[in-house]
Amino acid sequence: MIAKIAVILIFVGVVIGVGVWARSSSKSVDGFILGGRNVGPWLSAFGFGTSYFSAVVFIGYAGQFGWKYGMAAFWIGIANAVIGSLLAWWILGPRTREMTQRLKATTMSEFFGKRYNSKAIRIAAAAIIFVFLIPYTASIYNGLSRLFAMAFGLPFEWCVIGMAVVTCIYVVLGGYMATVMNDFIQGVIMLLGIIAVIAVVLAGQGGFMEAVTNLSQVQAEGTSMLGAFTSMFGPDPLNLLGVVILTSLGTWGLPQMVTKFYAIKEGPAIKQGAIISTIFALVVSGGCYFLGGFGRLFGDQVEFAANGTPIYDSIVPTMLSGLPDILLGIVVVLVLSASMSTLASLVLTSSSTLTLDIVKGNLVKDMSERSQIFTIRALIVVFVVISAGLALVQYTSTVTFIAQLMGISWGAISGAFLGPYFWGLFMSRVSKPAVWASFIFGVGLTTGNMIAGMLGTPLIASPINCGAIAMVGSLIIVPIISLLIPGQRFDVFPPTESGAIDREYAAGLQDITKFEHHEERATAETTPR
């Protein structure tokens, strides 16, 4: 116990120390939110990866989908690395960096507002972000409950309060730079920890080959397939595809993910970050799902609900319960790292969005930079308190599993934003009706399905598949409506790359020149000779 507590205290001291050190870079709004748009590839890539993978993946998803699909769950990790990381960086990264710099957009909703020249779209996007990030943050807290109870015997309430306080301190102090610096430290812990955990767990099952042999003997429910959990696509390939789409394509439309492209420095940093992020995702996400694929070997120790289904959030903690104390302490720090990094990214995204896109210019007309930073910091505290409170309420009531909460959040946000964001980067005539249609479809489908499920008859049985359908639908809806109702032309590829002056810049320069000539003429007419 002393070793485990010492590891936790060292970790907490380091992350708070980083927050204190990063205070000097958080004195401006751009510095507090984006680190001055000068963050290097390693910090950006680790920030992307640690925001991507949290306790939701390590505890919730790895346990649930490893149990359902066996070793085929590893495909989820591969897709996360290739689609969710590599292609996201290659396709979205350069365009996002260039366009947000040109539009001077610091949040995703501000990008929508300026790209589509609509204040209403900007406010609607900000509201969607603020509302639907809350269930995701609540699911992150819940992912820690069983692990801390198993390792320390601490009640869930103390785990939630401790994590909320520590995260709040370093984000409020250091903003974006404190977040990405801690993301790098936490990412290193995650990489080393997941490799060590897989090695020890498989060793406890007699080694890799013995574990695979034993897993092949487990019969899958509802199928006559032999060795279903060691087959290439598992016992349920169609639902496995839904998980792949949600967890991989979802990153393309999530504000806490794409803002990493806003902040990265110019030059080769994006290409370097793409490689680093992909390797990180392959090790961490692939490792989590690979480990979860052997969950059936612990079937006699896993907790089951009254209806006979396993409590998915208990599977991975059960697999880890036999680890040596020092390694168990490292695992706790691993999951804590993954959760705190994601939570920090979420609260920073939500608070900055609410401040810059709703409060500033709407509720408060003239807002100084100092007031903006103060409001962002205050809202970080508010957001942490709300999400922690929701996590405590959920823990004491019969609410859906971690994976379902995440599916609702990711499905609603990415289902609403993916089409307008992706096509807005590459298509010049995306129309406002197309954007509104995507917003309504993504939010309406996921929330409607959730409400129908609470009434006993969901439209789509799995919230995961519902979220995946919302994302794919958004990508289809936006170009179709934009072809039927073309929008105002926007130069998504200005001619700056060929050496010519950007049209918007040239127009602005012409206006400035006219103004200066007007001022010179007025001065000449009023000045005595």
Side-chain angles (χ1 to χ4, degrees), residues 26-97:
S26 59
K27 295 179 180 179
S28 66
V29 172
D30 196 58
F32 191 86
I33 298 175
L34 298 176
R37 297 183 189 264
N38 195 38
V39 182
W42 282 92
L43 294 183
S44 296
F46 272 66
F48 187 92
T50 54
S51 298
Y52 197 165
F53 310 114
S54 65
V56 174
V57 172
F58 190 78
I59 302 296
Y61 271 26
Q64 178 172 351
F65 301 128
W67 183 273
K68 287 184 176 182
Y69 310 122
M71 294 184 66
F74 185 63
W75 283 111
I76 306 172
I78 295 175
N80 289 173
V82 176
I83 301 174
S85 296
L86 182 63
L87 293 182
W89 279 75
W90 277 359
I91 297 174
L92 304 180
R95 298 291 306 128
T96 301
R97 179 65 175 80

Side-chain angles (χ1 to χ4, degrees), residues 69 75-76 79 83 233 236-248 464-465 468:
Y69 310 122
W75 283 111
I76 306 172
I83 301 174
F233 296 111
D236 191 1
L238 189 59
N239 280 314
L240 176 61
L241 178 62
V243 180
V244 166
I245 293 174
L246 180 87
T247 60
S248 301
I464 303 295
N465 292 338

Side-chain angles (χ1 to χ4, degrees), residues 371-391:
S371 298
Q372 293 173 46
I373 296 175
F374 175 80
T375 305
I376 293 172
R377 284 178 162 144
L379 286 174
I380 287 172
V381 177
V382 171
F383 193 79
V384 167
V385 170
I386 292 174
S387 57
L390 184 62

Side-chain angles (χ1 to χ4, degrees), residues 179-362:
T179 301
V180 293
M181 283 291 294
N182 276 320
D183 286 347
F184 181 79
I185 297 170
Q186 293 160 356
V188 172
I189 296 172
M190 292 167 66
L191 287 172
L192 299 178
I194 192 66
I195 294 172
V197 167
I198 292 173
V200 174
V201 169
L202 291 183
Q205 295 296 315
F208 173 69
M209 294 305 300
E210 183 69 20
V212 172
T213 301
N214 293 336
L215 188 62
S216 67
Q217 306 302 315
V218 179
Q219 181 66 37
E221 302 88 347
T223 178
S224 58
M225 184 188 303
L226 298 178
F229 296 116
T230 54
S231 63
M232 188 171 186
F233 296 111
D236 191 1
L238 189 59
N239 280 314
L240 176 61
L241 178 62
V243 180
V244 166
I245 293 174
L246 180 87
T247 60
S248 301
L249 197 60
T251 62
W252 292 39
L254 293 175
Q256 71 271 21
M257 305 300 296
V258 299
T259 49
K260 299 298 186 291
F261 304 138
Y262 291 35
I264 195 168
K265 65 172 63 175
E266 294 179 330
I270 290 181
K271 293 181 180 179
Q272 296 167 356
I275 297 172
I276 298 167
S277 178
T278 303
I279 296 173
F280 182 90
L282 188 61
V283 174
V284 173
S285 181
C288 287
Y289 290 112
F290 179 77
L291 177 66
F294 292 95
R296 292 269 180 171
L297 298 180
F298 298 80
D300 58 338
Q301 305 171 40
V302 172
E303 296 180 39
F304 283 81
N307 60 1
T309 60
I311 299 176
Y312 296 121
D313 303 344
S314 71
I315 294 174
V316 171
T318 300
M319 298 174 71
L320 303 177
S321 59
L323 297 179
D325 285 345
I326 187 65
L327 185 56
L328 187 58
I330 294 174
V331 169
V332 171
V333 172
L334 182 158
V335 179
L336 189 60
S337 298
S339 302
M340 288 176 63
S341 57
T342 305
L343 179 63
S345 181
L346 293 174
V347 297
L348 186 59
T349 298
S350 184
S351 59
S352 59
T353 297
L354 192 62
T355 301
L356 301 180
D357 300 313
I358 294 182
V359 176
K360 180 186 175 184
N362 297 300

